Amino acid sequence: MRAALWFVALFGVAVASALLAGGNQSTVTVFWSPYRVDLSLNLVLLVLVALFVMLHLAWRAMSALFELPHQARRWRLQQKERAMHAALLDALSQLWSGRYVRAVKSAEQALALEALLASVRTADDPASRHTQQLRALSHLIAAESAHALRDRDTRVSHLQAVMALGRDPADGAVDEAMESAYLGAARWALSDHDASEALRWLDGLRHGPARRTLALRMRLKATRLDQQHALALDTARLLAKHGAFSEAAAQSLLRELAIASLNEAHDGAQLKRVWDSLETTEREQPEVVLHAAQRMLQLSGEATAVMPWLTPLWNRMVQQPDACTPAIRERVAQTLSRALVLLPADPDWLASIERARQTYPRWVELQYLAGRVCWHHALWGKAQQMLELAAPQLKNADMQREAWRALAQLAEQKEETARAQLCWKRAAEV
């Protein structure tokens, strides 16, 4: 459409020019004493146009002639810039291919070419828009290669050069390069097993880059290395929300960190605070519940605080038998027996355990639990019957030892000395 309009306009101009020139009878008279020259107006216009074109071409030719030295200078600068970019690309390819010595040399060559360009460039020369970024990337490549070569002094010198570039507040083009420098420094500190230094570099990041998956992964590794399990747990939760791990890996990691956080508690009050800080999904994991309960019984022996934690797990185990593995069932029975023995006799719990034992008669751990609870309720005959059935079949050494000890005490109460000695002997042999 645009071409058609241009064609119509050009046709109109041609027609107007033909009409004007064809019917124009005007003349131009030039008086040059003692002469008089009469010229056609069309000829005068044609001569003026030709003269304008000639003068314009002559001016362009003179400008091009005087511009030749500047063009030659710009060409030389352009060649140096191309060589500088080629050296940077060469350094990148050598870094990725594992040629670290060559990568350092290529990066330093790019820096030398950039310094040469800066020294010969004048105010009239066009400045490169990516000079600072190129300089920062060259330093980072050299530092990364020096780290791979275990050349700490070279790595530190190039890192300090990048930090010096970042102190220029007027240039915002190196922000991403500075973020790369902070992340790289944190990664190098982690490889040196210096967790506090890595955390210092990570803390220097802005809020946005600090919440990226790469930064969070390094923070998780640093906090775990520095034994800061509470911070590591918070970081792992963020990574799990971002989908950085598979579901199974996230559950395993959160479980491990939750257990490590519980281990940092030194009394019952600290343990309760750590337990309250856990999320609901973490408090529902059997391993976390059992470890918290065992830790609480070990630190303070507060069975009343433990029972609200164990009751949902007990109900889940009884109502959903496939939800807990045999190892978890053993730990549930062992922890419940320790807690219930410390509490006053509770007929409701005795009835619940008896119903579960009758529902799952092949679960040896339920026979052990029933025997221990019956022993606590002074049901000596029932306790002896359950423990005698469970003791030879238990695979857990602590539970088997406790069963033989309870049988030995029951035998001593009945003054069956020989049987008591046999039970004590078996308990010692476990």
Side-chain angles (χ1 to χ4, degrees), residues 83-102:
M84 178 179 62
H85 287 91
L88 178 62
L89 293 176
D90 192 28
L92 278 174
S93 62
Q94 289 167 353
L95 173 64
W96 291 337
S97 61
R99 298 178 177 178
Y100 301 116
V101 176
R102 294 184 181 181

Side-chain angles (χ1 to χ4, degrees), residues 1 80 138 151 154 167 209 244 249 271 302 364 397-398 417 424:
M1 185 64 182
K80 289 184 174 61
S138 300
D151 188 352
T154 303
R167 284 192 287 268
L271 187 62
E302 297 182 19
V364 182
D398 293 334
T417 307
W424 283 117

Side-chain angles (χ1 to χ4, degrees), residues 124-188:
D124 297 332
D125 297 324
S128 177
R129 295 177 297 173
H130 310 292
T131 301
Q132 293 292 84
Q133 285 180 307
L134 188 141
R135 190 184 305 172
L137 287 176
S138 300
H139 283 299
L140 286 176
I141 293 171
E144 185 69 35
S145 302
H147 173 73
L149 295 171
R150 298 185 181 276
D151 188 352
R152 182 179 177 84
D153 295 336
T154 303
R155 186 191 76 187
V156 171
S157 64
H158 283 287
L159 182 61
Q160 290 176 349
V162 178
M163 294 296 107
L165 292 176
R167 284 192 287 268
D168 185 5
D171 189 2
V174 295
D175 288 343
E176 294 185 359
M178 292 302 301
E179 294 170 6
S180 302
Y182 276 92
L183 292 172
R187 186 175 65 255
W188 302 332

Side-chain angles (χ1 to χ4, degrees), residues 84-301:
M84 178 179 62
H85 287 91
L88 178 62
L89 293 176
D90 192 28
L92 278 174
S93 62
Q94 289 167 353
L95 173 64
W96 291 337
S97 61
R99 298 178 177 178
Y100 301 116
V101 176
R102 294 184 181 181
V104 172
K105 291 181 179 179
S106 297
E108 291 178 346
Q109 181 183 2
L111 291 170
L113 288 172
E114 193 279 329
L116 177 62
L117 279 172
S119 62
V120 300
R121 182 177 281 116
T122 62
D124 297 332
D125 297 324
S128 177
R129 295 177 297 173
H130 310 292
T131 301
Q132 293 292 84
Q133 285 180 307
L134 188 141
R135 190 184 305 172
L137 287 176
S138 300
H139 283 299
L140 286 176
I141 293 171
E144 185 69 35
S145 302
H147 173 73
L149 295 171
R150 298 185 181 276
D151 188 352
R152 182 179 177 84
D153 295 336
T154 303
R155 186 191 76 187
V156 171
S157 64
H158 283 287
L159 182 61
Q160 290 176 349
V162 178
M163 294 296 107
L165 292 176
R167 284 192 287 268
D168 185 5
D171 189 2
V174 295
D175 288 343
E176 294 185 359
M178 292 302 301
E179 294 170 6
S180 302
Y182 276 92
L183 292 172
R187 186 175 65 255
W188 302 332
L190 284 176
S191 65
D192 295 337
H193 300 284
D194 191 348
S196 58
E197 182 70 9
L199 289 173
R200 186 178 69 84
W201 284 108
L202 291 173
D203 291 337
L205 289 171
R206 295 177 299 172
H207 181 70
R211 295 180 66 86
R212 294 174 185 167
T213 301
L214 176 61
L216 291 175
R217 284 182 181 274
M218 286 193 289
R219 184 176 292 277
L220 174 62
K221 187 175 181 180
T223 49
R224 294 183 71 183
L225 184 63
D226 203 31
Q227 301 295 318
Q228 300 182 26
H229 296 108
L231 294 177
L233 182 58
D234 293 336
T235 307
R237 289 168 182 163
L238 284 175
L239 284 170
K241 291 178 181 177
H242 291 172
F245 309 113
S246 63
E247 185 176 355
Q251 289 182 356
S252 177
L253 178 61
L254 292 174
R255 179 172 61 249
E256 179 184 351
L257 292 174
I259 292 174
S261 300
L262 292 170
N263 287 333
E264 290 181 346
H266 300 291
D267 54 36
Q270 288 184 355
L271 187 62
K272 287 181 181 178
R273 287 196 295 270
V274 175
W275 174 263
D276 293 336
S277 66
L278 298 179
E279 294 185 351
T280 304
T281 55
E282 297 161 1
R283 291 199 294 263
E284 290 177 352
Q285 297 193 31
E287 294 85 355
V288 178
V289 176
L290 292 171
H291 189 81
Q294 292 171 354
R295 184 72 174 164
M296 177 64 76
L297 293 175
Q298 179 183 359
L299 291 175
S300 61

Side-chain angles (χ1 to χ4, degrees), residues 232 362 365 383 402:
R362 295 185 179 181
E365 54 272 8
E402 288 294 330

Side-chain angles (χ1 to χ4, degrees), residues 35-56:
Y35 303 103
R36 170 184 172 179
V37 180
D38 293 328
L39 299 173
S40 172
L41 179 60
N42 293 339
L43 178 62
V44 172
L45 293 176
L46 183 61
V47 170
L48 289 176
V49 170
L51 183 61
F52 174 78
V53 171
M54 291 179 61
L55 290 176
H56 177 71

